[in-house]
Each structure stands twice: as C-alpha cells, then as structure tokens.
Amino acid sequence: MCFLCCSMRADLPPRGPRVLHKCFSGLGVMKGLLSRCRALSVLAICSHQLSGSSPHRFYHCDPERGKRLVLSRMFQPQNLREDQVLSLEGTSGDLTCKSQRLMLQVGLIHPASPGCYHLLPYTVRAMEKLERVIDQEMRAIGGQKVNMPSLSPGELWRATNRWDLMGKELLRLRDRHGKEYCLGPTHEEAVTALVASQKTVSYKQLPFLLYQVTRKFRDEPRPRFGLLRGREFYMKDMYSFDSSPEAARHTYGLVCEAYGSLFSRLGLRCIRVQADVGSIGGTASHEFQLPADIGEDRFAVCSGCGFSANMETLRWLQTDCPSCRGPLTEARGIEVGHTFYLGTKYSSIFNAQFTDAQGKPCLAEMGCYGLGVTRILAAAIEVLSTEDCLRWPGLLAPYQVCLIPPKKGSKEEVAAELMDHLYDLITEALPQLRGEVLLDDRTHRTIGNRLKDANKFGYPFVIIAGKRALEDPAHFEVWSQNTGEVVFLTREGVTEFLSQVRVV
C-alpha cells in the first residue's frame, strides 16, 4: 500500500475529505512519476541492447564489484624530471643506480629518511605478488608460515654472543623498565627459542621448515642504491629443524632448488656461489647472486666445471678454479638470497631438542635461508629496465594491462565506448585478469603522451584505441612491452591473446 494512502486503511480512523483529496492528488503525482520511471527503464534497456554492455562507474576500487580501475585515481606522486628526483634524495651523489632513479621518478617509492622509503601502491602490489610466488615455492617443500616479533629481547642475542658480535649494525633500544631489545635483522635466536619451548617434539614430526616475510632492520652506516641497501627492508627468512645431519643437508638442497625455481619463474639468471658464513655462523653457506654492474659483491665463475664462489672465500689473486684448474671469470653481483647450514650452533645454546626412535633427547640440526624481498624487486628492475623505462618480471608487474582510449575531441573519440566495452570483455572473459587491467582515463592528453608514460611504467601489455578502432570490425593496437612486438587485433583476438598471460 502506498504511504500516501495510509489513511485509507481500515484500522486507522478516518482523516476527512481534505486528507483524502490530498491523497488522491498524491496518487496522481505518483502515477506521473511511475510513468516517467517506466519510460526511463525502457530507454535504459534499449541503450543496454545497443551497447552490449552494462553501465560501470569509473572508480579505483574492488573490480569484483563491477567498477573499472582508472589511472587518474591512483596515488602515485611522479617526479619525472631528473632535477626533481635529485632534490628528493638530497644530492646527485645519493642517486647512483638506475633502479633507484626510475622507482623515484614514476612514484614507486618516496624517501622517508636515510635508508627508509615509503612503498607506494604499485610497489606494494608487486611485493604482494612476489610474496605469493615465495609462498608457493616454500610451501611446495613443506614450509609453514609464521610471524615473529620484530622486537627481540637482548638476552637471546647475548646467549649467542651476537649482541656484541653484530656491533653497531644492530638497532638497540631500552623499554621504560630498562630492558634491552633490538630490532631484528634476522631471527635465528627467536625461532630456536620458540622450538626449544616445545618440550614434546618427536623425530616423526621433523623436519620443521618455519618461515616468515617481515620487515627487518639494520643500522647501515651509509645507506645507498634505494631499496638495494637500506636500514629497513623486507626479507623472507626460513629456519629448518632436522633429526640428523644427513636429513638437514637434504633439506638444505631442497631449499636451494626452490630458490632456483623461484628465480627461474621470475626470469632472473641468478648464480649460486660458495660464500662465507659471516656473523650467522655454521659450516656451509651459499649466496644467490644476480649479475649486475652496480653489484657490491665480487664472485668468480668457472665456465668449465661450473664452480662459483664469492671472492672473499678464495685465496688472494687466485685465478684458476680450485676444482678443475680452469680459468676463473670475475663478475659483480647483487646478493638476493643466502643459505646457511647451521648444524647445532643455535640448538645447542637454546636446547632445541627432539626425541629419537629410542626415546632419547637429541639436538636438532638447523639451517637458515634468506631472501631479500625488497632487494629482489629492486634488483630485477635494475637488470631488466632500460635507462628510461621500467621493466618488471612478468609475474610481478603491478598491473598486466593498460588500456589507452582516444583523446577527447579527436576524430577517434567515438571509439572511446569501444574501449570501455573491451575493458568489460577482458575482465569478464578472463577472470584471472580481474584487478590486473588499468584504464588510462586521462583523455585530455594525447595517445602518444599516454603511451610514453605506459612505456615508462612498464605495463607488460598496452592496448590502444586508435584510427583502426574505427574500422568494421574494430582493431586495437596491442603492444607487448617486454618483446617490443606490436599487433592489431579485434576484440576477440585481444581476449585470445591475453588468455596466455600468467598471473600469480
């Protein structure tokens, strides 16, 4: 019943002819409104049939709710001029590598303090994807994800002697009660104490492979190279607990293989080299080096037998391979991963034990395995990008597809609606690309200007509605940024082409 006619209900007292007159007048108004609504509905249906697409609003929000992601609403402070980037970092001497410059220019990072950066939306998306790839590889070998406090009690570090051994690189603080803590650069002490607190671990439960992806802290004396060497960074650190040295070495090999699989999926040619154990300790260690001119590490490789080692582990001026006596080639690299076989170095201190088949308590054999998450991202940009344009590992690109509609007021402007429909078709026909397609709605700018920006941002695929979008059928210009290939495809061809895109 209409709210205007509530006075006509039998359970309510009569309200007089005047009220009835008003109600009937209200009914007339209502009928008029209803007839207009019906007319609008018919128009909407016709419009829908003509366009073949349902209306969408252009907001940066959840694509599952049927709204398009648009570039104009992205929070991405850009500093595309060289002088603007220099002013961010202080002096020209602080801007010393390609990845740092490009990430600052396009608004991937923004300086907060020396060695610390705000990670902006595009970077966070890429980091989340990298973490998903890491999760897949770690869980494939039995890894279990945990999350340990960044604030680590000083007594744990004193027990292993690393409170003093780490020196000034350890960020230390006291609470109001005078208790000492550090902001953990790594978590061997914490995780071993955690496992030691479990008093009923059986050999049948092992191995434990516990890992986390968290912020780490190091008081670098001279932070540089942007995310490659900072005071605050993200790291994946895994810790293994095995029942015997043989089992521990098997686990060590599995993790190294998983690292190789990870870098292969990212399209990064990393080299595993023998390395020094440093302050972490243990009896064996390997680094995963990504060859790069700006790399701070020097390593040697034998092309004959495949031997490779950090130069720190070789004799001074050694030029021949210790395995086959062939010539060694020296290279520079960025360390993106590091593995250590620890034995009982930490388990003996914290009494991390398990019971064997005879019921006897035994110390766990340990290993630890690190991946520099922010460093991998920056290092990949460093080696894959050109001097002027970002390039991403395909799986890590913040957005896979950028759509560029015609400029407003141009001859091709009528094709703008076709681009809207193409956006909807891609996200509906290819569910894996929902949330991966970005519409550059800055139609006050020319297609050329927006294409230049898209090239600098490094979207793997850029699709343009240009002159050939006016053909029947419409053809869209499709750029594959990583290969330089350009093809013209119909809307059906575009979806078939993009169906091969891998996402994580």
Side-chain angles (χ1 to χ4, degrees):
M1 181 178 289
C2 174
F3 71 94
L4 290 172
C5 301
C6 61
S7 61
M8 298 182 68
R9 285 173 48 185
D11 58 339
L12 292 176
R15 303 178 71 177
R18 234 173 127 183
V19 175
L20 284 174
H21 174 72
K22 288 183 178 178
C23 284
F24 283 120
S25 298
L27 280 172
V29 172
M30 181 61 71
K31 287 179 181 178
L33 289 172
L34 287 172
S35 65
R36 291 184 184 181
C37 287
R38 290 191 190 100
L40 289 171
S41 298
V42 171
L43 287 173
I45 292 169
C46 291
S47 174
H48 173 70
Q49 291 173 342
L50 288 170
S51 67
S53 174
S54 57
H56 286 252
R57 298 181 71 188
F58 295 82
Y59 288 110
H60 177 66
C61 58
D62 186 357
E64 295 293 338
R65 297 176 60 188
K67 297 179 181 179
R68 301 186 187 113
L69 297 171
V70 294
L71 186 57
S72 64
R73 295 183 64 87
M74 293 289 173
F75 178 74
Q76 194 167 24
Q78 297 179 31
N79 308 279
L80 299 178
R81 294 205 321 266
E82 190 81 14
D83 59 333
Q84 291 175 316
V85 176
L86 292 177
S87 67
L88 287 175
E89 288 285 25
T91 66
S92 58
D94 296 326
L95 193 66
T96 49
C97 73
K98 177 171 49 180
S99 58
Q100 180 185 15
R101 174 171 50 80
L102 288 173
M103 294 180 83
L104 286 166
Q105 280 182 334
V106 304
L108 299 183
I109 58 176
H110 191 83
S113 62
C116 297
Y117 290 86
H118 299 287
L119 305 183
L120 302 181
Y122 273 48
T123 303
V124 172
R125 280 183 63 88
M127 291 269 292
E128 289 171 345
K129 292 181 178 185
L130 177 54
E131 186 170 347
R132 286 199 288 273
V133 180
I134 291 171
D135 285 341
Q136 290 170 0
E137 295 295 339
M138 295 302 101
R139 288 169 180 166
I141 59 172
Q144 301 179 66
K145 201 169 189 178
V146 297
N147 197 315
M148 292 177 277
S150 296
L151 205 59
S152 188
E155 61 262 25
L156 293 181
W157 289 73
R158 283 202 168 88
T160 59
N161 236 4
R162 293 212 296 170
W163 186 262
D164 297 321
L165 187 62
M166 291 289 289
K168 293 182 178 181
E169 287 192 358
L170 201 61
L171 279 164
R172 309 157 201 256
L173 62 154
R174 291 178 184 268
D175 67 9
R176 67 181 65 194
H177 307 293
K179 188 174 181 179
E180 291 183 305
Y181 294 87
C182 68
L183 292 174
T186 182
H187 277 71
E188 284 79 13
E189 286 82 358
V191 75
T192 312
L194 171 65
V195 172
S197 69
Q198 314 305 306
K199 301 299 183 184
T200 57
V201 175
S202 165
Y203 74 99
K204 295 179 181 179
Q205 296 174 264
L206 301 181
F208 288 145
L209 283 78
L210 306 178
Y211 80 99
Q212 60 178 353
V213 179
T214 56
R215 290 177 185 264
K216 297 290 191 291
F217 303 86
R218 184 183 293 121
D219 193 358
E220 286 283 351
R222 187 172 174 260
R224 55 180 177 163
F225 300 147
L227 297 187
L228 290 177
R229 180 166 294 282
R231 289 177 172 167
E232 184 176 353
F233 50 93
Y234 278 88
M235 189 170 86
K236 187 283 303 177
D237 44 325
M238 174 180 271
Y239 306 91
S240 62
F241 297 81
D242 274 280
S243 58
S244 68
E246 295 75 23
R249 291 190 186 96
H250 176 70
T251 297
Y252 188 94
L254 285 178
V255 178
C256 289
E257 288 175 11
Y259 279 18
S261 174
L262 168 73
F263 293 122
S264 177
R265 290 177 66 187
L266 298 179
L268 301 176
R269 189 181 66 86
C270 285
I271 300 172
R272 176 184 168 186
V273 305
Q274 294 180 14
D276 186 74
V277 298
S279 63
I280 289 180
T283 57
S285 172
H286 290 87
E287 295 169 346
F288 288 78
Q289 294 282 352
L290 184 61
D293 292 338
I294 67 155
E296 296 185 278
D297 291 305
R298 293 166 51 243
F299 62 93
V301 178
C302 174
S303 59
C305 67
F307 169 85
S308 56
N310 191 300
M311 294 298 290
E312 294 176 352
T313 68
L314 299 175
R315 295 193 310 273
W316 181 249
L317 298 179
Q318 181 174 348
T319 58
D320 59 334
C321 174
S323 296
C324 72
R325 299 302 172 191
L328 291 174
T329 302
E330 187 177 332
R332 303 186 74 88
I334 301 169
E335 180 193 329
V336 289
H338 208 147
T339 59
F340 299 84
Y341 176 62
L342 300 174
T344 59
K345 172 180 169 63
Y346 292 89
S347 57
S348 60
I349 295 172
F350 294 101
N351 205 27
Q353 296 182 332
F354 65 95
T355 54
D356 65 11
Q358 288 73 44
K360 295 180 180 178
C362 302
L363 291 173
E365 294 279 333
M366 291 179 58
C368 67
Y369 318 89
L371 285 173
V373 180
T374 37
R375 183 177 285 187
I376 289 172
L377 190 64
I381 290 173
E382 182 69 33
V383 300
L384 298 178
S385 301
T386 68
E387 284 300 321
D388 300 313
C389 300
L390 276 165
R391 289 296 178 264
W392 305 84
L395 287 178
L396 305 188
Y399 296 95
Q400 290 290 334
V401 183
C402 178
L403 303 183
I404 301 180
K407 181 184 179 183
K408 189 175 182 180
S410 68
K411 294 179 181 178
E412 297 81 22
E413 185 179 8
V414 291
E417 189 176 0
L418 294 176
M419 187 60 89
D420 297 341
H421 297 172
L422 182 63
Y423 186 109
D424 301 337
L425 177 64
I426 293 171
T427 55
E428 290 166 11
L430 304 173
Q432 72 273 23
L433 291 183
R434 289 176 186 163
E436 295 289 341
V437 182
L438 188 64
L439 182 70
D440 190 341
D441 60 330
R442 302 172 301 163
T443 53
H444 60 284
R445 301 183 62 187
T446 66
I447 286 178
N449 283 335
R450 284 176 287 161
L451 178 59
K452 185 177 179 181
D453 282 356
N455 191 34
K456 196 170 190 74
F457 284 109
Y459 306 107
F461 304 98
V462 180
I463 302 175
I464 300 169
K467 293 180 180 178
R468 293 196 60 185
L470 302 178
E471 296 176 359
D472 188 13
H475 281 71
F476 300 92
E477 190 175 346
V478 181
W479 290 64
S480 296
Q481 299 277 51
N482 291 335
T483 64
E485 181 185 10
V486 181
V487 294
F488 288 88
L489 300 172
T490 63
R491 50 184 275 161
E492 293 77 17
V494 169
T495 55
E496 183 178 354
F497 179 84
L498 293 179
S499 66
Q500 307 300 315
V501 176
R502 294 181 303 141
V503 295
V504 63

